[in-house]
Amino acid sequence: VINGILTSPYRNLFNPENIFVSKDGGGAGNNWASGFAQGEKLHEELMDMIDREADNSESLEGFVLCHSIAGGTGSGMGSYLLEQLNDHFPK
């Protein structure tokens, strides 16, 4: 899906430095724990992207995170990112 977006007319809507595609390939096979563990493993790379955008913001108010809640990679990694955002950017 991401590669399709990057080659489509919509590619200019996104900063390519902020698009993350794992070098290891696909998802976690509908496994929340695997997605969470991948988030832990990729912590630095993911938080660097978030920090870069936050630092370029004039008045950061919050985040909107759309992620799966069905139990697969998206829900595990999304849960991990929500925890990290809460810790890294306290109210």
Side-chain angles (χ1 to χ4, degrees), residues 5-86:
I5 293 170
L6 293 175
T7 58
S8 77
Y10 301 110
R11 67 183 167 271
N12 295 327
L13 295 175
F14 303 96
N15 180 352
E17 291 180 344
N18 295 338
I19 296 174
F20 178 80
V21 178
S22 175
K23 294 163 189 67
D24 298 331
N30 204 28
N31 185 331
W32 181 92
S34 178
F36 194 90
Q38 287 178 33
E40 289 176 324
K41 182 175 114 178
L42 301 167
H43 172 85
E44 290 297 320
E45 193 171 350
L46 296 171
M47 292 308 291
D48 284 348
M49 286 192 294
I50 292 168
D51 281 337
R52 182 176 49 246
E53 287 300 310
D55 290 344
N56 289 329
S57 173
E58 290 182 18
S59 178
L60 182 65
E61 294 291 328
F63 296 93
V64 175
L65 181 64
C66 298
H67 69 100
S68 170
I69 57 171
T73 309
S75 64
M77 187 173 288
S79 297
Y80 180 80
L81 282 175
L82 285 172
E83 282 185 13
Q84 296 308 306
L85 289 172
N86 188 48

